[in-house]
Amino acid sequence: MKLTTLIFLALMPVLFGHSACADNPPRKAKLQLVTSGFISPVNMAVPGDGSGRLFFCQKEGKVWIVQKGSLLPAPFLDVSSDMISVNPRYDERGLLGMAFHPDFKKNHKFYVYYSSPAVGKQGFNHTSRIVEFKTSASNPNVADPASKRIVMEIDEPQSNHNGGQLQFGPDGYLYIGLGDGGGGGDKHGDHGNGQNLGTWLGKILRINVNGTPYSVPADNPFVNKAGAKPEIWAYGLRNPWRFSFDKGSKRLFAGDVGQNKYEEVDIITKGGNYG
């Protein structure tokens, strides 16, 4: 049986920190159908190039474009051959995130996050990859597979808790959400991956993609701290599945997936510890 997913955009001009009161009455919201027919859409990205295109990541490995209300017939990108085989019934792995370079209009670069096989790596379930691509020189609606450049690889001990969000901040740096490595209760090492500054897992990272393969911003909180990964911006997270920068305040809001009782939304701060 083929499942059909309907994608809507909620049109609601509400800012964080504003509550309903006599001076600030509730805003009305409405839904607008963007497209239908997707299987496992998990992320949407916009290039900011004035084209009005919407890019949707399908967990199984393809990126599709919706332009002027129509779903284009051919995928923009297909990385399924470089991925693990995703279980169609349930899987937290796959093509999980996408972000366009702040200078995309000039350099045509974008970044995706997906799950690859952990080839020759004993004790790991898969390897998360952050990969750079460029669009085709002849067709802006098709990615150039030959432009592939691996930016980061993160070995994952289990199949779940992979995070996957990619977002360029107002500072022009790429922020990356990584889960704690999977399982329940973060039973990795002595104190769990979330509290271990010697691993990228259970963190939000911040890197400069304009490097080989990247560079670390000098003002990251754990630069030159013994035993700590300098890419770390915040830690103590379980599975920061999605996050976003508020346009007004520039604050970073992250949804962190709970275990049994609670789900939380955190305001992520430099060097913050979230439990």
Side-chain angles (χ1 to χ4, degrees):
M1 180 178 68
K2 181 179 179 181
L3 299 178
T4 297
T5 301
L6 305 179
I7 295 180
F8 294 86
L9 289 181
L11 305 180
M12 182 170 60
V14 175
L15 298 177
F16 284 112
H18 286 220
S19 58
C21 62
D23 296 328
N24 186 29
R27 306 294 183 91
K28 292 183 178 181
K30 67 178 181 178
L31 296 177
Q32 177 181 315
L33 178 64
V34 176
T35 188
S36 61
F38 275 137
I39 298 174
S40 305
V42 293
N43 191 63
M44 185 187 80
V46 293
D49 61 352
S51 67
R53 294 176 296 172
L54 304 176
F55 291 71
F56 292 92
C57 294
Q58 180 185 343
K59 186 174 68 174
E60 289 77 10
K62 294 180 180 179
V63 177
W64 299 88
I65 299 175
V66 173
Q67 188 171 27
K68 296 181 180 179
S70 297
L71 177 65
L72 300 191
F76 171 72
L77 176 71
D78 184 353
V79 294
S80 57
S81 63
D82 194 33
M83 286 173 35
I84 48 87
S85 179
V86 174
N87 185 333
R89 302 182 71 177
Y90 171 78
D91 208 320
E92 293 187 22
R93 303 169 300 178
L95 172 59
L96 303 179
M98 180 180 185
F100 290 91
H101 194 284
D103 293 324
F104 172 76
K105 195 171 182 179
K106 294 180 180 179
N107 63 25
H108 312 295
K109 294 179 180 180
F110 65 95
Y111 301 82
V112 289
Y113 177 123
Y114 57 83
S115 309
S116 289
V119 179
K121 297 175 180 178
Q122 204 94 19
F124 291 99
N125 176 272
H126 67 283
T127 297
S128 293
R129 280 184 170 177
I130 291 91
V131 183
E132 177 189 276
F133 287 95
K134 293 182 180 180
T135 56
S136 167
S138 59
N139 184 354
N141 290 330
V142 176
D144 177 10
S147 68
K148 173 183 173 181
R149 182 178 76 89
I150 296 174
V151 178
M152 291 186 76
E153 290 188 318
I154 304 98
D155 294 326
E156 304 274 3
Q158 293 174 264
S159 65
N160 60 335
H161 298 185
N162 300 310
Q165 179 72 15
L166 301 179
Q167 185 92 31
F168 281 93
D171 51 17
Y173 296 130
L174 180 63
Y175 290 73
I176 303 163
L178 293 172
D180 62 16
D186 194 9
K187 297 174 182 177
H188 303 279
D190 295 333
H191 305 289
N193 283 331
Q195 293 298 313
N196 180 4
L197 292 175
T199 178
W200 292 322
L201 298 174
K203 314 295 190 300
I204 289 179
L205 310 182
R206 176 182 185 246
I207 65 171
N208 184 351
V209 296
N210 301 316
T212 308
Y214 64 89
S215 62
V216 176
D219 61 340
N220 271 13
F222 300 104
V223 169
N224 298 323
K225 297 287 181 67
K229 296 285 190 183
E231 296 88 351
I232 296 172
W233 182 252
Y235 67 109
L237 296 152
R238 185 171 186 265
N239 188 21
W241 169 237
R242 291 291 176 248
F243 57 76
S244 182
F245 288 90
D246 178 52
K247 288 185 177 180
S249 67
K250 311 301 183 186
R251 291 184 298 176
L252 178 56
F253 288 78
D256 196 11
V257 180
Q259 183 160 309
N260 294 319
K261 294 182 178 180
Y262 306 106
E263 309 287 336
E264 65 186 50
V265 176
D266 298 306
I267 300 176
I268 301 298
T269 58
K270 178 180 179 178
N273 182 359
Y274 295 87

